[in-house]
Amino acid sequence: MKGIGVSSGIAIGYVLKKEETVQKIERKTIEHSGAEMKRLNEARQTSTAQLDQIIQKMQQENRDEEAQIFEAHKMLVGDDIFFGEVEQMILKEKVNAEWALQVITDAYIKQFASFEDEYLRERQADLVDIRNRITKILLGIEEKEPDAVSDEMVIVAKDLAPSDFAKMDLSKIIGFVTEKGSKTSHVSIMARSYGVPAVVGVEAIFTKVKNGDAIIIDGEAGTVLLNPTAAELDTYQRKQQKLQEFNTRLQALKDRETCSLDGKKFTIAANISGPQDVDAVLANGGEGIGLYRTEFLFLDRDSFPSEEEQFTVYKSVVEKMKGKPVVFRTLDVGGDKELPYLDIPPEDNPFLGFRAIRICLANQELFRTQLRALLRASKYGNLKIMFPMISSLEELRAAKAQLKAVSAELEKENIDFAEDIEVGMMVEVPAAAMIAEIFAKEVDFFSIGTNDLIQYTTAVDRGNQRIAHLYTEYHPALFRLIQRIVDAAHQEDIWVGICGEAAANPRLAPIYAAMGVDELSVDSKSILKIRWMLNNSSCLEMEKVIAQIMEMPTAEEIEAYLHKLNERIELG
Ligand code: PEP
Ligand code: MG
């Protein structure tokens, strides 16, 4: 099977299907509460039977620890006090069993969440598991038990939300395959940042696999092999070995600078989505953080993080980076990153809608809270601020005005923050690229967001698998726009980086470098590969390549030309 390889590497393991989470439960008024209680009790009995089967299987396989977890679930299902409350609600409010179960569980979860004891706090997850199991039975959704719990699991799902990752135990997950998604959907970005191979856009794979199937995925080529033959297994094991050897060689570049064969220096920074990613940046020789997607602190929770919480997190990141620059991008939600607690009505075109800086400018308090936290953290390291999705000068000025107002506020409160914080903007909307020379007079740096710049320039939704073949960083328009942005920046003596996924494309990195881009910000796992590419390229030679590219009329020609030019990178 074939999909889009979005995070390189080879995974050889076993399938674990990620079922879709239980859908939204509706409140319904019922006439006969007796019948509803009977439904609930039958569902409890069925779930006990399911759990018995799981426990038995685990015991047969000597997986005693896991069996104990399900024993605890069984006890919860048998808890008459808890289910008594559910029954009371059905009886008094004449509501359906699913609804009552949800309301009562939610109340308990809130209580559990406040426990000091970590073990007790963790029991929330068990409660959710039980609720989901019984709800599925009530709704007639077939429950498939994952019987492939091994240490080498490849998650196969229809789709994965960024918040799904937050809940996973990544120590046992060696790969991801999804039906939906594209190279720059956030699922792919997460997989790359965890350094786990991933293939997305594999049609109908979810229905074709069973838990426990042997699977091989090649995150570079986008290949997925189910139940491979011995010969296939051998081929991929060798490929995996070769990759590992190349990666070991790259380690020697960890503490070296990035410098082309003809002596031009560059910065290779990293993209992160939270403090948990910082160790990987340093371990891979990142010279800074070129894009901190702060929105991840806002996802997978029920309410906004407070100023204090944000401050603590931002401070920890700059401190850990010990004076190396960290570019904090202000909240970039909307599009495919939903915040359930920010009530945005559904839109026909979310990527063209209420997103990123537009949301922040319309929600002053939200924006100002983040800016306050950032300013306060600035004292502890080398912090820069960047605004996403700027499309007009008015927007940039409005954002800067908020920053100025917040600075004044802090001064008044005698709260210290760094002087001369660099303020930059993402150039990811074609309109901004076209008037880059105007923006360059009012910011300290540009960071080109190719993920969005491609989508907006070519009018191709970055997450739409059906048109993924039209989404390409090799489009001739892109090279022209990037050159334009770089020239505008340098005319005003400001630096310019690229933080979109294209920066991590080893075929393109030397081209961007020769175009004059000062910094490439990539996922941690790509830092050394990109450094190796630049160290082995000559800008003078690449300038000739650029002249050729600019003559080529199609993405296809450009891509084929660059592939041919650089066969050595097949190694990585
Ligand atoms: C981009 O658009 O290129 C970018 C880096 O931002 P994001 O992928 O978070 O939209
Ligand atoms: Mg973007």
Side-chain angles (χ1 to χ4, degrees), residues 53-65:
Q53 265 184 8
I54 301 169
I55 294 164
Q56 202 186 3
K57 186 167 181 299
M58 302 261 166
Q59 282 165 342
Q60 276 163 3
E61 292 170 6
N62 292 326
R63 286 152 61 184
D64 293 338
E65 230 176 288

Side-chain angles (χ1 to χ4, degrees), residues 22-23 25 36 38-52 54 77 83 97-98 101 129-145:
V22 179
Q23 57 262 73
I25 307 293
E36 202 59 16
K38 190 163 168 260
R39 263 185 82 223
L40 175 68
N41 280 319
E42 281 168 2
R44 278 174 75 185
Q45 277 163 19
T46 310
S47 73
T48 308
Q50 281 180 354
L51 288 165
D52 275 335
I54 301 169
V77 176
F83 281 94
E98 298 86 332
L101 179 62
D129 222 3
I130 298 290
R131 185 201 55 201
N132 288 351
R133 179 179 298 283
I134 297 180
T135 306
K136 278 181 189 165
I137 296 168
L138 285 167
L139 294 172
I141 300 170
E142 201 191 329
E143 174 72 62
K144 294 189 195 77
E145 288 310 327

Side-chain angles (χ1 to χ4, degrees), residues 239 323 345 459 478 553:
K239 217 170 159 183
L478 250 290

Side-chain angles (χ1 to χ4, degrees), residues 294 314 328 330 369-378 383 385:
T294 60
Y314 303 157
F328 285 76
T330 57
T369 305
Q370 180 170 43
L371 293 176
R372 276 181 69 99
L374 285 171
L375 286 180
R376 284 174 57 198
S378 67
L383 177 149
I385 294 176

